[in-house]
Amino acid sequence: MELPDFMSYANKFSQADFVEKIARIAKRAGAKLVYAALILYYTLQSDKISTANKAMIIGALGYMISPLDVVPDAIPIAGLTDDLAVLLFVLKKVWTDIDPEIQEKAKSRLSKWFDDDEIDEINHLFEE
């Protein structure tokens, strides 16, 4: 899959829209997408990440919450695959800058929407 120009979606990001979208799509999106999104969201709040990486994260999260993307979210199953691809692409780029505490915070937040079996899928985060 070729990645869309997710950076053009940076102006679509807002914290309120992110929180609303995650709560609305969590179960349908799956633990892997939600975990990746939460890690990026929490990393964005860190002062240990560069401005360039923050810009990438904002673009990816803006793409995720935008209703206008390459594959509309309303399409069952396929609708969130492009969102996951963008999130994982950016997550791989910034992974070395992510504190273990952020990973744990994101993982603990998953229990709001997922049971332990569903949360296990994050152990294979970068596997397709």
Side-chain angles (χ1 to χ4, degrees), residues 67-82:
L68 305 173
D69 54 19
V70 175
V71 182
D73 295 346
I75 297 174
I77 301 171
L80 295 168
T81 56
D82 60 325

Side-chain angles (χ1 to χ4, degrees), residues 15 39-49 54 57 102 105:
Q15 288 188 358
I39 288 175
L40 292 174
Y41 177 73
Y42 294 140
T43 299
L44 186 60
Q45 299 167 12
S46 171
D47 59 356
K48 297 177 183 176
I49 189 130
K54 283 187 178 191
I57 291 170
I102 288 175
K105 184 175 180 180

Side-chain angles (χ1 to χ4, degrees), residues 16-110:
D17 288 345
F18 173 80
V19 171
E20 184 274 330
K21 173 100 181 214
I22 285 293
R24 185 170 38 86
I25 68 162
K27 279 303 256 187
R28 184 168 54 99
K32 189 183 284 191
L33 185 146
V34 174
Y35 182 61
L38 287 171
I39 288 175
L40 292 174
Y41 177 73
Y42 294 140
T43 299
L44 186 60
Q45 299 167 12
S46 171
D47 59 356
K48 297 177 183 176
I49 189 130
S50 72
T51 303
N53 283 346
K54 283 187 178 191
M56 259 197 317
I57 291 170
I58 289 170
L61 294 177
Y63 183 84
M64 187 201 79
I65 64 177
S66 175
L68 305 173
D69 54 19
V70 175
V71 182
D73 295 346
I75 297 174
I77 301 171
L80 295 168
T81 56
D82 60 325
D83 296 334
L84 179 60
V86 166
L87 293 174
L88 290 178
F89 174 82
V90 172
L91 192 57
K92 285 179 185 179
K93 294 280 188 191
V94 301
W95 189 253
T96 58
D97 295 332
I98 297 173
D99 289 332
E101 298 85 31
I102 288 175
Q103 295 173 41
E104 277 305 309
K105 184 175 180 180
K107 186 176 182 179
S108 68
R109 183 76 169 155
L110 290 178

